[in-house]
Amino acid sequence: MSFVEQNQNQYENSRPPYPPAQPWPPYEAPKPPYQPQPQPCFPAEKREWWMACAAALSGLALANGLIFGGGDLGFALAMMLSIVFASAYLWRSGKKPGAYSVTLLSISLVIAAGFVRSNDGFVKFVMLLFILLAVNLGLCIQSGQNRRLATGFTTLLDGPRALFALGFGSMAPAFRGLFRGRTGENADRKKTGAVLLGLAITVPVLLIVLPLLISADAAFEGFVDLLPDFELGEIFVTAVLGGGVACVLYTRSAALRHAPRKEAAKRRPGRVNPWTVNTVLIGLCVVYVAYLLSQLAYFAGGFSGVLPEGYNMAEYARRGFFEMAWLCVINLSIIALTVGLVEKGTRTPLATRIFCLFIGFVTVFFVITASAKMGLYIGAYGLTRLRVLTEVIMVFLGLATLTVCVWLFVPRLPYMKVILILALVMGATVLWADVDTVVAAYNVRAYQNGALQSVDVNYLTGLSSGAVPYIIELAEDGNQAARDWLAEESRMYYWCGDHHDLRSWNIADWLAGKLLEAWHTGK
């Protein structure tokens, strides 16, 4: 091979290879046509339309009865109807309630009816929270949408979940199914949804236009005066707030029926060594034993009425009561946390249960002692609203602790069902008894029997209308402070006795009005 050929071969071997031939311009595969993802939609049948109408009626009545009716007769009837409508809708959909759901919903109806009994705003607010928890939990269990065992403490989370996650969170698929136009037998649904949307827009427009027309033309103003009286502001507020409540009521019911049921949350076994927890419990038990032995006379004084040296009745009762109340709450929390940390399978280790049982008995002893101390305080100074409510709470803590103590050794006991039903029953009892009526009745009776040296008429007059019958009773017995108050507050006759608006009617106001009328006409 010649020198030229060798150089040519080396040059060709060192040159990089040519790239493979490519078409020009580069080939691109065509993009597939855009296909929108199907949006979730709950099917809407004739039953859903009836439920939507019932929810609209209930929502408007609830908002109007609560805001403009004072949470009395109008609100009570609306709340009872909303409970019945929601449960009946699920029942007609094939979701029959069990015994536990029926119990929760039944007690909720009793509590709702109790709004007619009392005029106590604070107790009514607390009972409204009770109703919301019990109703939403009962409906969630009835529909099978509960994600947690009804026998455990975490079941309380299913109530807010039914209201917020399903009620507020499912509005889009619920109303999409209600108003979306379809073919075939549902062809008129699009027209119906359009009409309802138009009506919803018409209301705020008319609320703006009508006042302007009334102000602009005297003839039209006279025509409007011939119509029954109504407040545009009340209609507007009722429409806005009631419409929001109605939306939640409907979407909650539709979601409880149609929403895909998520898998129930699995119960995790305890991850803490039982001996770690037992060591803490042993130390706590030793401290409690030493404390009980050293303060035995101090605790026992609550039963015998013997006061420790240096204490008056008020200081003794207050200090003992609030100390024991906090210890009860702490001990119940310790027991619940302990069981959750060390539970293996379905049972807690025996040693842990024994230590928790001892702490539970100590808690019950604290409850009894604190209640006895408060009894001394009540016997010396009479009842107040705070003393009644704190005593009720202490009784509930004691009964709840006993239930947990039994459950430690009887794991089949549905302790959370028992505790929740117990709380609802006690709440219904407090509402129907009317705290102000109980306070006034006890103080007046104790004063008349000589158990109390004096009665605070100024405190009684600051209570709601449930105390009026007993203030009149004091006045009839010659109590000058009560007579002076009745003379100065004669306008209460119009406040309690004049009920043209049935929405704000309740038993306490009605009875007070009748007695005030008899008092003023009989003098």
Side-chain angles (χ1 to χ4, degrees):
M1 181 180 296
S2 64
F3 176 76
V4 176
E5 293 176 349
Q6 289 181 350
N7 290 337
Q8 186 177 358
N9 291 336
Q10 291 179 359
Y11 173 75
E12 291 179 356
N13 292 334
S14 62
R15 187 173 56 184
Y18 289 104
Q22 295 183 355
W24 186 265
Y27 173 76
E28 293 183 2
K31 295 182 179 180
Y34 173 73
Q35 295 181 354
Q37 296 293 329
Q39 295 176 326
C41 175
F42 295 157
E45 302 172 354
K46 187 177 181 180
R47 188 176 292 113
E48 273 69 30
W49 280 99
W50 281 110
M51 183 60 209
C53 295
L57 175 64
S58 301
L60 294 174
L62 281 172
N64 188 271
L66 182 61
I67 299 174
F68 300 100
D72 294 319
L73 177 61
F75 178 79
L77 292 176
M79 178 62 72
M80 296 173 70
L81 286 177
S82 67
I83 297 172
V84 172
F85 285 152
S87 182
Y89 165 75
L90 294 176
W91 193 340
R92 294 291 296 175
S93 301
K95 301 180 183 296
K96 295 185 179 180
Y100 184 45
S101 298
V102 170
T103 303
L104 292 178
L105 297 176
S106 299
I107 300 178
S108 299
L109 289 173
V110 174
I111 296 177
F115 277 62
V116 184
R117 167 65 181 93
S118 171
N119 196 23
D120 191 333
F122 174 75
V123 174
K124 283 185 175 181
F125 173 74
V126 176
M127 291 301 103
L128 178 59
L129 299 180
F130 275 39
I131 291 176
L132 291 177
L133 174 62
V135 170
N136 286 285
L137 181 58
L139 295 176
C140 189
I141 295 175
Q142 177 182 352
S143 63
Q145 289 284 353
N146 55 307
R147 298 188 60 195
R148 299 161 184 88
L149 292 176
T151 57
F153 179 77
T154 56
T155 186
L156 297 179
L157 299 176
D158 280 326
R161 175 177 169 270
L163 179 61
F164 295 103
L166 298 180
F168 287 93
S170 300
M171 287 191 178
F175 284 101
R176 189 177 293 118
L178 196 64
F179 296 136
R180 173 176 291 176
R182 297 179 184 272
T183 59
E185 61 180 5
N186 296 323
D188 295 334
R189 188 176 301 171
K190 186 174 183 179
K191 296 180 181 179
T192 306
V195 171
L196 293 178
L197 180 61
L199 290 176
I201 297 175
T202 302
V203 173
V205 172
L206 292 180
L207 291 177
I208 298 174
V209 171
L210 284 177
L212 295 176
L213 291 176
I214 293 173
S215 301
D217 187 77
F220 186 73
E221 182 181 3
F223 172 75
V224 173
D225 289 339
L226 297 176
L227 301 176
D229 293 336
F230 62 91
E231 293 289 340
L232 293 179
E234 179 178 343
I235 295 176
F236 177 77
V237 173
T238 301
V240 173
L241 297 183
V245 174
C247 291
V248 175
L249 291 178
Y250 170 71
T251 55
R252 180 195 62 184
S253 300
L256 287 174
R257 180 189 177 189
H258 295 295
R261 190 178 186 278
K262 296 184 178 180
E263 184 179 356
K266 295 183 179 179
R267 192 171 186 176
R268 297 181 179 180
R271 299 181 178 181
V272 179
N273 192 317
W275 283 107
T276 302
V277 177
N278 291 346
T279 302
V280 177
L281 294 179
I282 290 172
L284 185 62
C285 292
V286 170
V287 171
Y288 277 152
V289 171
Y291 189 71
L292 290 173
L293 292 177
S294 63
Q295 300 291 329
L296 189 59
Y298 176 75
F299 288 129
F303 302 100
S304 60
V306 178
L307 298 179
E309 186 177 355
Y311 284 90
N312 58 34
M313 181 65 71
E315 294 173 347
Y316 174 72
R318 288 176 182 174
R319 180 177 180 182
F321 177 83
F322 289 109
E323 286 177 347
M324 298 302 101
W326 277 111
L327 285 173
C328 292
V329 175
I330 292 172
N331 288 345
L332 271 177
S333 302
I334 289 175
I335 294 174
L337 182 62
T338 297
V339 173
L341 289 176
V342 304
E343 189 173 21
K344 304 294 183 181
T346 59
R347 296 301 298 270
T348 304
L350 179 60
T352 305
R353 284 183 282 149
I354 292 176
F355 294 138
C356 289
L357 180 64
F358 176 77
I359 295 176
F361 284 160
V362 171
T363 304
V364 174
F365 180 74
F366 286 165
V367 168
I368 297 174
T369 305
S371 298
K373 289 175 179 292
M374 184 56 69
L376 290 176
Y377 196 32
I378 292 172
Y381 299 101
L383 271 180
T384 63
R385 288 172 49 84
L386 180 60
R387 294 166 196 169
V388 172
L389 294 177
T390 49
E391 278 283 68
V392 171
I393 293 174
M394 291 303 296
V395 172
F396 169 73
L397 288 176
L399 296 176
T401 304
L402 286 175
T403 303
V404 172
C405 290
V406 175
W407 168 74
L408 288 172
F409 291 88
V410 185
R412 293 185 177 180
L413 176 69
Y415 73 95
M416 200 59 225
K417 290 183 178 181
V418 176
I419 292 175
L420 183 55
I421 292 175
L422 178 65
L424 294 174
V425 170
M426 293 183 67
T429 304
V430 170
L431 181 60
W432 275 98
D434 189 8
V435 175
D436 290 347
T437 300
V438 173
V439 169
Y442 176 86
N443 290 339
V444 171
R445 296 286 187 268
Y447 173 70
Q448 293 173 341
N449 297 334
L452 290 177
Q453 297 179 356
S454 63
V455 60
D456 190 349
V457 178
N458 290 330
Y459 179 78
L460 295 182
T461 56
L463 300 176
S464 64
S465 55
V468 171
Y470 300 95
I471 297 174
I472 294 177
E473 188 173 331
L474 278 176
E476 292 174 347
D477 287 347
N479 187 286
Q480 190 59 40
R483 299 177 71 91
D484 293 342
W485 180 82
L486 288 174
E488 295 175 0
E489 300 290 337
S490 60
R491 61 182 181 274
M492 284 190 60
Y493 163 67
Y494 303 99
W495 172 57
C496 293
D498 191 12
H499 287 289
H500 297 297
D501 191 348
L502 290 178
R503 295 174 302 175
S504 59
W505 187 89
N506 65 69
I507 296 175
D509 286 354
W510 174 79
L511 180 60
K514 291 296 182 182
L515 293 176
L516 284 169
E517 181 181 6
W519 167 262
H520 285 285
T521 56
K523 286 195 307 181

